[in-house]
Amino acid sequence: FNMKSSEIDILVELLTNLPGIGPRSARRVILHLLKNRNNLMHPLGKSIHIVAEKIKICKNCGNYCMQDFCDICISNKRDKSLLCIVEEVSDLWAIERGKLFNGIYFVLGGTLNAIKGITPEKLNMEKLFERLKGKEIREVILATSITTSGQTTAHYLLNNIKKLNIKVSR
């Protein structure tokens, strides 16, 4: 890849910010896109723009959606008494792909981490506890990772949710 173009260099730099893509992979992706401008590059660019402009965060759970509340939160077919607490939206999507859970979710947006300064306030836990006080949720599933910060988060949540007399599963 000998061609020097500031636009291509910028694109390489942007793509290397994505997980799992280094400079060589970024250049291969760019070459593939350039060879397929009409059927791949233009539609991809348009789709990225639309997603960037229109996707919102669900006011209830933290999932990504097109309106104020996601399809999961507004569905009448979901068990609203069962809440699964996950670290990230990617965890919610993985559980949904398995089609084994029919409750609702709450996305923390990360895990507690004193070293990085991630406190309960930064994870919007106050909103979670307010939601749990609303009597409709009878059982909570903690679906945090087995990392130290994931377990610390689960322990913190467990201690606070038990005070509300709600059943907790791990």
Side-chain angles (χ1 to χ4, degrees):
F1 195 90
N2 295 326
M3 187 176 127
K4 279 289 179 197
S5 165
S6 62
E7 284 78 19
I8 289 176
D9 291 338
I10 291 167
L11 194 50
V12 167
E13 185 67 33
L14 288 169
L15 287 174
T16 58
N17 288 315
L18 296 172
I21 298 184
R24 286 178 60 200
S25 294
R27 285 188 207 94
R28 280 197 303 274
V29 167
I30 292 166
L31 285 172
H32 186 74
L33 289 171
L34 287 169
K35 287 178 186 175
N36 297 283
R37 289 177 203 222
N38 292 331
N39 64 348
L40 187 59
M41 188 177 227
H42 291 300
L44 180 64
K46 184 177 178 183
S47 184
I48 287 172
H49 178 74
I50 290 168
V51 167
E53 294 298 314
K54 295 190 177 186
I55 295 297
K56 300 178 181 184
I57 295 172
C58 177
K59 291 180 178 182
N60 225 13
C61 72
N63 192 9
Y64 292 115
C65 56
M66 295 287 286
Q67 57 277 351
D68 288 339
F69 299 99
C70 73
D71 291 343
I72 295 169
C73 286
I74 62 174
S75 172
N76 292 327
K77 295 177 180 167
R78 306 297 289 221
D79 182 351
K80 303 255 199 292
S81 71
L82 186 58
L83 180 74
C84 181
I85 300 172
V86 296
E87 292 175 15
E88 301 289 348
V89 172
S90 59
D91 301 317
L92 184 157
W93 289 0
I95 293 168
E96 281 298 293
R97 274 194 311 274
K99 294 183 167 85
L100 297 170
F101 179 71
N102 193 41
I104 54 175
Y105 297 91
F106 188 88
V107 179
L108 293 170
T111 54
L112 295 173
N113 190 321
I115 295 166
K116 293 181 180 175
I118 302 172
T119 61
E121 295 75 31
K122 289 190 178 169
L123 295 179
N124 211 6
M125 286 190 186
E126 211 45 56
K127 181 178 178 180
L128 170 64
F129 297 135
E130 283 303 313
R131 191 167 167 197
L132 291 172
K133 287 176 188 172
K135 303 300 177 216
E136 63 189 28
I137 295 165
R138 294 190 319 266
E139 184 176 352
V140 170
I141 297 169
L142 297 178
T144 57
S145 62
I146 57 169
T147 62
T148 304
S149 60
Q151 293 303 297
T152 301
T153 304
H155 185 71
Y156 177 85
L157 289 169
L158 186 62
N159 286 343
N160 284 281
I161 294 169
K162 278 184 175 178
K163 294 174 188 173
L164 300 171
N165 290 322
I166 297 172
K167 180 182 175 192
V168 181
S169 304
R170 296 227 49 228

